[in-house]
Amino acid sequence: MTVHISSMIPDRALEESAVFKAITKVAIDLAGFAGQPMQKKLPILNIVYLLPSQREKADFEGLRLHSFEKDAQMLRIEAAVPAKMVESSHAERYVIAILLDAIDAAGEFFNEQRILFDAPGHLAFVEAMTPKQHSAIH
């Protein structure tokens, strides 16, 4: 299964936000796995982060299955980004958490559709991208 991520931004000012920068960083990190055989196979999971603005925001919370194109074997999952994440210092962790949840949801969907899917393999890729926590030693 190939995993893609993107974002929809209703306001150009959001391009400087912490969450947009985190989405961009995670997309670049994910692109680092493009040469892996697993990232060259069908089905395709496309995760779209919907950023909120003062005038526009998603009409749902969390994740939702948006659509499935049977011919292309592409599942689109949308993630409604909460306003509190736009400038959060935890934006990258949030983006990765959504990615992990979307892979889990895709696993269930593809299993129901009887489409081969390597959720554990993709979860391992994402876990490898997860920022490590730093703790002080006292």
Side-chain angles (χ1 to χ4, degrees), residues 3-4 7-8 24-25 33 35 37-39 41-43 55 62 67 73 88 99 101 103-104 119 128:
V3 176
H4 299 243
S7 62
M8 294 191 68
T24 302
K25 181 189 179 305
F33 295 109
M38 189 181 323
Q39 275 288 85
K41 296 179 181 179
L42 293 177
R55 289 191 228 161
S67 59
Q73 286 199 350
S88 175
L99 188 53
D101 286 349
I103 291 169
D104 279 338

Tab-separated table of all heavy atoms in Angstrom, residues 3-4 7-8 24-25 33 35 37-39 41-43 55 62 67 73 88 99 101 103-104 119 128:
chain	number	residue	atom	x	y	z
A	3	VAL	N	1.172	5.217	0.839
A	3	VAL	CA	0.568	6.225	1.700
A	3	VAL	C	0.981	7.602	1.206
A	3	VAL	O	2.164	7.860	0.975
A	3	VAL	CB	1.004	6.054	3.172
A	3	VAL	CG1	0.436	7.161	4.034
A	3	VAL	CG2	0.565	4.701	3.706
A	4	HIS	N	-0.010	8.487	1.034
A	4	HIS	CA	0.226	9.868	0.645
A	4	HIS	C	-0.439	10.753	1.690
A	4	HIS	O	-1.497	10.393	2.212
A	4	HIS	CB	-0.435	10.189	-0.698
A	4	HIS	CG	0.055	9.382	-1.828
A	4	HIS	ND1	0.691	9.925	-2.910
A	4	HIS	CD2	0.001	8.045	-2.076
A	4	HIS	CE1	1.004	8.980	-3.776
A	4	HIS	NE2	0.595	7.818	-3.283
A	7	SER	N	-2.678	18.462	2.470
A	7	SER	CA	-3.509	19.318	3.319
A	7	SER	C	-4.354	20.235	2.450
A	7	SER	O	-4.005	20.525	1.305
A	7	SER	CB	-2.636	20.151	4.260
A	7	SER	OG	-1.784	20.998	3.519
A	8	MET	N	-5.456	20.665	3.031
A	8	MET	CA	-6.301	21.685	2.411
A	8	MET	C	-6.272	22.879	3.346
A	8	MET	O	-6.593	22.751	4.533
A	8	MET	CB	-7.724	21.167	2.217
A	8	MET	CG	-7.781	20.034	1.213
A	8	MET	SD	-9.441	19.598	0.702
A	8	MET	CE	-9.896	21.046	-0.209
A	24	THR	N	4.143	19.242	6.325
A	24	THR	CA	5.176	19.274	5.286
A	24	THR	C	6.370	18.408	5.692
A	24	THR	O	6.879	17.617	4.885
A	24	THR	CB	5.631	20.720	5.029
A	24	THR	OG1	4.480	21.494	4.642
A	24	THR	CG2	6.688	20.788	3.947
A	25	LYS	N	6.815	18.519	6.940
A	25	LYS	CA	7.952	17.726	7.412
A	25	LYS	C	7.648	16.234	7.357
A	25	LYS	O	8.463	15.432	6.883
A	25	LYS	CB	8.335	18.115	8.839
A	25	LYS	CG	9.528	17.319	9.357
A	25	LYS	CD	9.775	17.534	10.826
A	25	LYS	CE	10.960	16.724	11.337
A	25	LYS	NZ	10.883	15.295	11.079
A	33	PHE	N	10.655	7.095	2.284
A	33	PHE	CA	10.362	5.662	2.151
A	33	PHE	C	9.845	5.307	0.758
A	33	PHE	O	9.440	4.172	0.517
A	33	PHE	CB	9.319	5.233	3.195
A	33	PHE	CG	9.805	5.342	4.610
A	33	PHE	CD1	9.301	6.311	5.456
A	33	PHE	CD2	10.772	4.474	5.101
A	33	PHE	CE1	9.742	6.425	6.763
A	33	PHE	CE2	11.225	4.574	6.408
A	33	PHE	CZ	10.709	5.558	7.243
A	35	GLY	N	11.228	4.634	-1.940
A	35	GLY	CA	11.925	3.540	-2.602
A	35	GLY	C	11.598	2.163	-2.053
A	35	GLY	O	11.961	1.154	-2.648
A	37	PRO	N	9.643	-1.178	-1.399
A	37	PRO	CA	8.673	-1.907	-2.230
A	37	PRO	C	7.224	-1.710	-1.778
A	37	PRO	O	6.316	-1.615	-2.608
A	37	PRO	CB	9.097	-3.369	-2.079
A	37	PRO	CG	10.541	-3.310	-1.719
A	37	PRO	CD	10.721	-2.048	-0.925
A	38	MET	N	7.016	-1.606	-0.474
A	38	MET	CA	5.655	-1.454	0.050
A	38	MET	C	5.016	-0.136	-0.415
A	38	MET	O	3.814	-0.054	-0.583
A	38	MET	CB	5.706	-1.492	1.583
A	38	MET	CG	4.355	-1.560	2.233
A	38	MET	SD	4.453	-1.570	4.031
A	38	MET	CE	5.877	-2.545	4.383
A	39	GLN	N	5.835	0.896	-0.645
A	39	GLN	CA	5.318	2.196	-1.045
A	39	GLN	C	5.076	2.270	-2.556
A	39	GLN	O	4.745	3.330	-3.064
A	39	GLN	CB	6.278	3.309	-0.633
A	39	GLN	CG	6.092	3.783	0.794
A	39	GLN	CD	4.812	4.590	0.983
A	39	GLN	OE1	3.749	4.021	1.202
A	39	GLN	NE2	4.912	5.876	0.900
A	41	LYS	N	3.105	-0.194	-4.112
A	41	LYS	CA	2.033	-1.151	-4.385
A	41	LYS	C	0.666	-0.529	-4.139
A	41	LYS	O	0.534	0.434	-3.398
A	41	LYS	CB	2.169	-2.376	-3.466
A	41	LYS	CG	3.410	-3.184	-3.677
A	41	LYS	CD	3.450	-4.347	-2.709
A	41	LYS	CE	4.720	-5.164	-2.893
A	41	LYS	NZ	4.792	-6.267	-1.947
A	42	LEU	N	-0.332	-1.133	-4.758
A	42	LEU	CA	-1.717	-0.782	-4.462
A	42	LEU	C	-2.140	-1.566	-3.244
A	42	LEU	O	-1.574	-2.623	-2.973
A	42	LEU	CB	-2.622	-1.129	-5.649
A	42	LEU	CG	-2.389	-0.301	-6.911
A	42	LEU	CD1	-3.298	-0.812	-8.023
A	42	LEU	CD2	-2.617	1.168	-6.668
A	43	PRO	N	-3.077	-1.110	-2.500
A	43	PRO	CA	-3.903	0.083	-2.661
A	43	PRO	C	-3.172	1.339	-2.182
A	43	PRO	O	-2.083	1.274	-1.612
A	43	PRO	CB	-5.105	-0.207	-1.768
A	43	PRO	CG	-4.566	-1.085	-0.693
A	43	PRO	CD	-3.496	-1.920	-1.351
A	55	ARG	N	-12.931	31.566	8.899
A	55	ARG	CA	-14.152	31.503	8.086
A	55	ARG	C	-14.590	30.090	7.729
A	55	ARG	O	-15.738	29.866	7.369
A	55	ARG	CB	-13.955	32.276	6.785
A	55	ARG	CG	-13.900	33.748	6.984
A	55	ARG	CD	-13.987	34.428	5.655
A	55	ARG	NE	-12.944	35.432	5.575
A	55	ARG	CZ	-12.501	35.948	4.475
A	55	ARG	NH1	-12.981	35.557	3.318
A	55	ARG	NH2	-11.575	36.850	4.493
A	62	GLY	N	-12.143	14.740	14.139
A	62	GLY	CA	-11.400	13.494	13.992
A	62	GLY	C	-11.199	13.099	12.544
A	62	GLY	O	-10.916	13.936	11.695
A	67	SER	N	-13.804	8.736	0.598
A	67	SER	CA	-14.203	8.025	-0.615
A	67	SER	C	-13.235	6.892	-0.912
A	67	SER	O	-12.124	6.849	-0.382
A	67	SER	CB	-14.239	8.997	-1.805
A	67	SER	OG	-12.960	9.590	-1.988
A	73	GLN	N	-8.039	1.829	-6.713
A	73	GLN	CA	-7.795	1.272	-5.373
A	73	GLN	C	-7.211	2.336	-4.444
A	73	GLN	O	-6.217	2.120	-3.757
A	73	GLN	CB	-6.898	0.046	-5.433
A	73	GLN	CG	-7.600	-1.168	-5.973
A	73	GLN	CD	-6.888	-2.456	-5.623
A	73	GLN	OE1	-5.769	-2.470	-5.136
A	73	GLN	NE2	-7.556	-3.555	-5.880
A	88	SER	N	0.291	24.683	17.782
A	88	SER	CA	0.744	23.864	18.907
A	88	SER	C	2.188	23.409	18.745
A	88	SER	O	2.636	23.072	17.649
A	88	SER	CB	-0.157	22.636	19.047
A	88	SER	OG	0.340	21.783	20.042
A	99	LEU	N	-1.859	10.059	11.279
A	99	LEU	CA	-1.369	9.120	10.272
A	99	LEU	C	-1.499	7.676	10.765
A	99	LEU	O	-1.975	6.797	10.032
A	99	LEU	CB	0.080	9.468	9.944
A	99	LEU	CG	0.781	8.777	8.794
A	99	LEU	CD1	0.000	8.865	7.503
A	99	LEU	CD2	2.165	9.373	8.609
A	101	ASP	N	-3.603	6.557	13.106
A	101	ASP	CA	-5.030	6.232	13.172
A	101	ASP	C	-5.604	5.957	11.782
A	101	ASP	O	-6.419	5.043	11.604
A	101	ASP	CB	-5.821	7.369	13.825
A	101	ASP	CG	-5.607	7.451	15.324
A	101	ASP	OD1	-5.022	6.513	15.905
A	101	ASP	OD2	-6.038	8.464	15.916
A	103	ILE	N	-4.006	4.807	9.153
A	103	ILE	CA	-3.525	3.498	8.686
A	103	ILE	C	-4.331	2.383	9.337
A	103	ILE	O	-4.717	1.410	8.677
A	103	ILE	CB	-2.010	3.348	8.935
A	103	ILE	CG1	-1.229	4.291	8.014
A	103	ILE	CG2	-1.563	1.900	8.726
A	103	ILE	CD1	0.245	4.422	8.342
A	104	ASP	N	-4.624	2.515	10.630
A	104	ASP	CA	-5.476	1.528	11.306
A	104	ASP	C	-6.861	1.454	10.661
A	104	ASP	O	-7.374	0.367	10.392
A	104	ASP	CB	-5.635	1.867	12.794
A	104	ASP	CG	-4.466	1.409	13.638
A	104	ASP	OD1	-3.734	0.500	13.209
A	104	ASP	OD2	-4.293	1.965	14.739
A	119	ALA	N	-0.798	-3.201	6.952
A	119	ALA	CA	-0.890	-2.158	7.982
A	119	ALA	C	0.322	-2.192	8.913
A	119	ALA	O	0.910	-1.137	9.182
A	119	ALA	CB	-2.192	-2.279	8.757
A	128	ALA	N	8.906	4.876	12.880
A	128	ALA	CA	10.301	5.267	12.681
A	128	ALA	C	10.436	6.776	12.513
A	128	ALA	O	11.489	7.345	12.800
A	128	ALA	CB	10.885	4.547	11.469
